[in-house]
Amino acid sequence: MRLPPIPTTLRIAALTMLLVLCSNLALLGFIHARTYDDRLSPLRRQVIADARALSDVQASGGEPELSGAIEDMLAADSSELTIGLFDRDGRLLAGNIKAAERKPADRKADFQILSVVLRDGRRGEAGVVVSNLKGGGWLESGRLLGEPLALQRTLERALMISLALSLLFGLVCAVILVHFVRRRVRAIGRAVDDFGHRDLDLRAPTNGSGDVFDTLAERINAMLDRIARLMAELRTLTDSLAHDLRSPVGRLQTKVEQALTVEDPDERNAVLASVMAEANTLTHMLTTVLEIGRYEALASREQFGWLDPAELLDELADLYSPVLDEAGIMLETARTGPLVPLFGHRQLLAQAISNLLENALNHGAIGGAVCLFAEQRGESQHIGVADRGPGIAPEQMDHALRRFGRLDESRSRPGMGLGLTLVQAIAHLHDGTLELTGNEPGLKAALRLPVKAHRALDSEIQRP
Amino acid sequence: MTWKILIVEDDADTARYIAQGLTQEGHVVDVVQDGRDGLFQASSGLFDLVILDRMMPGMDGLSALRALRASGVQTPVLVLSALATVDERISGLEAGADDYLVKPFYFSELMARAGVLMRRQRTAGEAVETRITVGDLEIDCLKRLVRRSSQTIDLQPREYKLLEFLARNEGRVVTRTMLIERVWDYHFDPGTNVVDVHISRLRRKIDAGFERPLLHTIRGAGYRLSAEA
């Protein structure tokens, strides 16, 4: 049979109480062990020795001898000795103890601590040994505990009381703690509820302390960010599909219509070829939109592996150098610092850089030079393409990254305004960003990718 | 030469379109419409090529393919699917496909790819050729040396790879996408005419100054390396 689950708050409360109790017990034990025995054991030895001496006297000379011996001992040193010889009715026969109501249980020969009242008015605790005598009387001999030991006893008693108090404090502490925990967790829970029901902009509160609740809230916020981003993505996707696919479909319709009316077979073939080209563009567009959606959803990381960024750039330079050459553009490659291996998707990174090169080829050809660069900058690696063309005005850079976001200057040229968006989606898939900056003149487009594992050795690079 | 081809495709229109085209080319075609039947038929091992859709009733294409490969059938399989992203393609190839073509597709692309697979099928048992000749062009695959009419041609490593791929598929049309996939190992469309420019550079090296060109451009399809025009 399983126990019903214990609520976490109750566990925390119980644990807090237990810990407070334990710490007090430990303190008590420590004080006791550390000092009590040190001081008490010489006293105990002395008391036992005294008792033995007296009982020897009693054994050899009987009670009169014993009374004499007691008087002698007290005369010699009365500062701490407590001795009393009592008859069966508890009347003092000899010694300096005023009177004693000793219960039969206390009358044992072992060393023990009892409180005594002396005839000279002193009172206090003493370590004593009580020995029963024939005829029902008893002999009690001992020594007062003295200042330090008495203090010790007081301290111990105080600690015992504090032990009881500690249970109370533990309880209060637990209640407060549970209250705090519950308040923070409820706040997070409320934020999540509100996010779900009302507003995608709401986030769990954080106080910047970096504690577990803050971390939890931050994690949850990161998740909410991602959900919000995906929702926004979905919205833009459907919007853009609705708006931006209309024009190519429209062009397609026009061309098909045109093809139907053309009589001349050669001319009709030409129109049909352009229908085909239009259909190709449309297919390409759909594939790209789909890919952007997938990568933004961070859905395809199974193909990630270690790769050498330098090799990646070399391969792309190899692929593009003839085209750039033909277009009269000089291709430079620039690498700064030793490049650590990247953990990424070779195909997609290549596609991203290929898109950037295409962009440079289509929009920055006038500059006559394109630079394929890779830089190691602290925790991130910048890989990208810089051209010397007209560039993009700073206020238009955001627009250039938007899906189907074509800048007015380039409307007349082929393209569908998805290239940079795809590159950005690939950057996001790699936990990175796409940065567009001016190249004075021209455009510098860089994939800024975080360096994942510094310890990755070259030998770990898997080459596909 | 007649091939026996199995088409596993649940969309009747697409299946008919492919079957018609292949029959016109003189091949024998069987069509089944779900994955389970496809697996059953293909397991016979009697086909030269299987064209396999991915999303089908009964059993999806990749599961059928894995089962087929697990049972030791090595018939070339060309996956034909609307699942177009790079990862989908890679997972198709990893499941044991010999090639992956994305829908919508052109019939010429399908034929070119099927042709390459068939050649590979026929030469599967033989040792890889270390010496290829196309007309008066000679390629020494071990030393990576290329000669034409006993005149050595100096090629860049990538140009050599391009030529070797074309030469191994001598007389067959090879599309731009196939070249990007096989020569550069990229599964995306680079957009501009990057492949065309590489081809024209290669052509300048192997055809310039010779009377008969070997490297032909097939309009709307791709390229072909052959001694005949």
Side-chain angles (χ1 to χ4, degrees):
Chain A
M1 202 181 89
R2 285 187 58 182
L3 290 170
I6 305 163
T8 310
T9 43
L10 195 64
R11 287 183 199 209
I12 294 175
L15 189 68
T16 316
M17 282 173 68
L18 196 69
L19 285 179
V20 172
L21 195 65
C22 283
S23 73
N24 271 356
L25 271 177
L27 190 64
L28 201 62
F30 177 74
I31 291 175
H32 184 87
R34 189 60 193 268
T35 56
Y36 198 72
D37 279 354
D38 280 1
R39 293 179 188 277
L40 203 60
S41 44
L43 185 86
R44 174 205 299 262
R45 275 198 301 278
Q46 257 177 327
V47 169
I48 290 171
D50 290 345
R52 194 165 295 148
L54 285 171
S55 84
D56 285 350
V57 171
Q58 201 247 350
S60 61
E63 250 171 62
E65 195 94 348
L66 184 60
S67 301
I70 290 171
E71 297 307 326
D72 287 349
M73 277 172 77
L74 287 174
D77 170 24
S78 64
S79 62
E80 44 178 41
L81 275 175
T82 66
I83 305 177
L85 177 63
F86 298 91
D87 67 8
R88 55 185 299 177
D89 300 321
R91 273 192 302 269
L92 180 73
L93 302 177
N96 64 349
I97 294 173
K98 194 174 182 184
E101 293 290 321
R102 291 291 180 230
K103 290 186 238 51
D106 288 336
R107 283 160 39 183
K108 54 187 182 190
D110 294 333
F111 177 84
Q112 55 186 326
I113 292 172
L114 296 170
S115 55
V116 292
V117 181
L118 298 182
R119 284 200 307 198
D120 58 9
R122 285 183 295 159
R123 55 174 63 227
E125 290 192 304
V128 298
V129 169
V130 182
S131 25
N132 289 313
L133 302 175
K134 268 177 274 166
W138 73 89
L139 171 68
E140 175 182 331
S141 67
R143 278 164 192 263
L144 285 171
L145 290 187
E147 198 83 350
L149 267 172
L151 204 66
Q152 183 80 47
R153 296 276 297 173
T154 320
L155 188 64
E156 257 175 49
R157 258 196 303 275
L159 278 171
M160 285 302 282
I161 295 166
S162 85
L163 204 61
L165 270 178
S166 77
L167 274 175
L168 186 68
F169 287 149
L171 191 68
V172 172
C173 191
V175 167
I176 295 171
L177 198 65
V178 163
H179 172 71
F180 278 135
V181 169
R182 194 173 287 168
R183 207 179 59 185
R184 298 283 311 261
V185 172
R186 278 210 180 132
I188 294 171
R190 226 179 358 253
V192 172
D193 281 350
D194 288 348
F195 177 89
H197 296 303
R198 291 189 304 167
D199 188 352
L200 293 183
D201 290 333
L202 289 174
R203 294 292 179 271
T206 53
N207 57 15
S209 64
D211 63 11
V212 278
F213 295 107
D214 235 31
T215 319
L216 177 68
E218 275 164 18
R219 291 274 166 82
I220 287 173
N221 285 346
M223 185 183 79
L224 297 183
D225 284 346
R226 205 178 144 209
I227 293 174
R229 205 172 81 200
L230 289 178
M231 300 283 280
E233 274 296 320
L234 197 65
R235 204 167 300 149
T236 7
L237 184 67
T238 38
D239 287 358
S240 57
L241 280 179
H243 290 114
D244 295 86
L245 286 183
R246 275 175 186 279
S247 43
V249 171
R251 281 201 299 273
L252 198 59
Q253 274 177 335
T254 321
K255 281 182 177 159
V256 171
E257 212 171 17
Q258 207 182 332
L260 287 173
T261 56
V262 169
E263 297 286 327
D264 179 45
D266 282 347
E267 207 177 316
R268 186 164 53 225
N269 281 347
V271 178
L272 283 176
S274 72
V275 167
M276 210 159 171
E278 206 67 64
N280 278 346
T281 313
L282 202 54
T283 311
H284 190 58
M285 205 159 171
L286 281 171
T287 311
T288 314
V289 169
L290 190 77
E291 283 176 337
I292 293 170
R294 271 184 70 105
Y295 306 149
E296 286 293 356
L298 311 181
S300 69
R301 284 185 165 157
E302 312 92 73
Q303 298 293 338
F304 272 41
W306 290 103
L307 56 96
D308 180 0
E311 197 181 53
L312 184 77
L313 293 190
D314 285 344
E315 285 173 355
L316 282 156
D318 172 82
L319 180 62
Y320 273 90
S321 62
V323 183
L324 293 167
D325 204 23
E326 220 87 334
I329 301 170
M330 206 169 75
L331 176 68
E332 301 166 55
T333 49
R335 273 165 218 161
T336 18
L339 299 175
V340 299
L342 271 180
F343 188 68
H345 195 308
R346 176 184 168 267
Q347 293 287 343
L348 296 185
L349 287 175
Q351 186 172 6
I353 295 163
S354 148
N355 272 7
L356 295 179
L357 282 166
E358 293 282 333
N359 255 10
L361 199 59
N362 291 331
H363 306 294
I366 301 169
V370 163
C371 179
L372 197 53
F373 63 88
E375 294 166 26
Q376 188 78 46
R377 273 200 221 159
E379 292 294 291
S380 61
Q381 212 166 70
H382 295 215
I383 302 176
V385 175
D387 64 45
R388 312 291 288 172
I392 299 178
E395 63 273 15
Q396 287 197 304
M397 283 184 176
D398 278 348
H399 185 70
L401 291 175
R402 212 168 305 148
R403 209 167 297 199
F404 298 108
R406 303 196 60 196
L407 304 178
D408 291 335
E409 299 83 71
S410 66
R411 289 241 176 241
S412 55
R413 268 172 292 196
M416 48 189 182
L418 287 174
L420 286 180
T421 322
L422 180 65
V423 178
Q424 184 172 251
I426 292 171
H428 287 162
L429 181 67
H430 288 80
D431 294 324
T433 50
L434 170 62
E435 274 184 357
L436 299 182
T437 44
N439 196 30
E440 326 299 337
L443 178 70
K444 190 171 180 180
L447 286 167
R448 188 186 172 145
L449 306 172
V451 172
K452 283 265 164 67
H454 300 268
R455 278 161 293 147
L457 301 170
D458 284 43
S459 59
E460 280 178 47
I461 303 180
Q462 292 169 11
R463 302 232 154 80
Chain B
M1 165 151 194
T2 302
W3 304 333
K4 205 163 153 37
I5 299 173
L6 176 68
I7 299 172
V8 189
E9 166 69 78
D10 65 319
D11 179 54
D13 283 338
T14 314
R16 198 179 315 121
Y17 167 59
I18 305 170
Q20 222 163 40
L22 290 170
T23 315
Q24 271 169 18
E25 297 274 335
H27 306 302
V28 179
V29 178
D30 273 3
V31 178
V32 293
Q33 298 200 326
D34 82 65
R36 219 177 291 280
D37 292 349
L39 174 62
F40 179 69
Q41 292 276 329
S43 301
S44 68
L46 295 174
F47 294 94
D48 297 311
L49 176 69
V50 178
I51 294 173
L52 184 66
D53 186 21
R54 275 188 68 170
M55 289 179 290
M56 283 180 297
M59 188 178 207
D60 78 277
L62 289 196
S63 304
L65 177 56
R66 280 192 203 100
L68 191 69
R69 291 297 185 235
S71 66
V73 178
Q74 293 307 321
T75 312
V77 172
L78 192 157
V79 170
L80 192 59
S81 173
L83 300 172
T85 57
V86 174
D87 287 339
E88 298 288 6
R89 290 186 227 187
I90 294 175
S91 65
L93 296 175
E94 280 173 354
D98 297 274
D99 206 348
Y100 195 105
L101 184 58
V102 168
K103 287 184 201 169
F105 62 96
Y106 290 112
F107 192 73
S108 54
E109 180 86 33
L110 177 68
M111 278 311 295
R113 284 170 186 266
V116 169
L117 292 183
M118 300 312 304
R119 185 199 68 84
R120 215 194 293 166
Q121 167 76 343
R122 255 183 297 120
T123 57
E126 304 161 19
V128 182
E129 284 175 284
T130 55
R131 202 169 197 82
I132 312 170
T133 44
V134 180
D136 53 354
L137 182 78
E138 273 178 65
I139 304 173
D140 182 338
C141 302
L142 295 179
K143 293 184 189 155
R144 303 201 150 208
L145 276 180
V146 180
R147 280 156 185 265
R148 188 161 179 196
S149 301
S150 68
Q151 190 178 324
T152 306
I153 299 172
D154 191 24
L155 294 179
Q156 299 288 320
R158 193 66 65 176
E159 291 166 339
Y160 172 81
K161 231 179 145 180
L162 195 55
L163 180 64
E164 189 186 323
F165 183 73
L166 286 163
R168 287 198 186 278
N169 292 289
E170 184 202 342
R172 259 175 239 297
V173 179
V174 173
T175 65
R176 289 173 183 80
T177 336
M178 287 163 79
L179 288 173
I180 275 285
E181 285 176 16
R182 299 296 162 89
V183 178
W184 280 272
D185 187 28
Y186 285 142
H187 292 264
F188 59 87
D189 178 8
T192 44
N193 53 342
V194 276
V195 177
D196 297 351
V197 179
H198 276 276
I199 289 283
S200 70
R201 297 212 152 185
L202 179 64
R203 179 176 283 144
R204 240 174 282 158
K205 288 194 177 174
I206 63 167
D207 278 347
F210 293 96
E211 205 178 308
R212 294 177 69 186
L214 294 176
L215 187 47
H216 309 276
T217 303
I218 313 300
R219 268 202 62 185
Y223 303 97
R224 189 181 66 207
L225 189 75
S226 72
E228 296 99 49

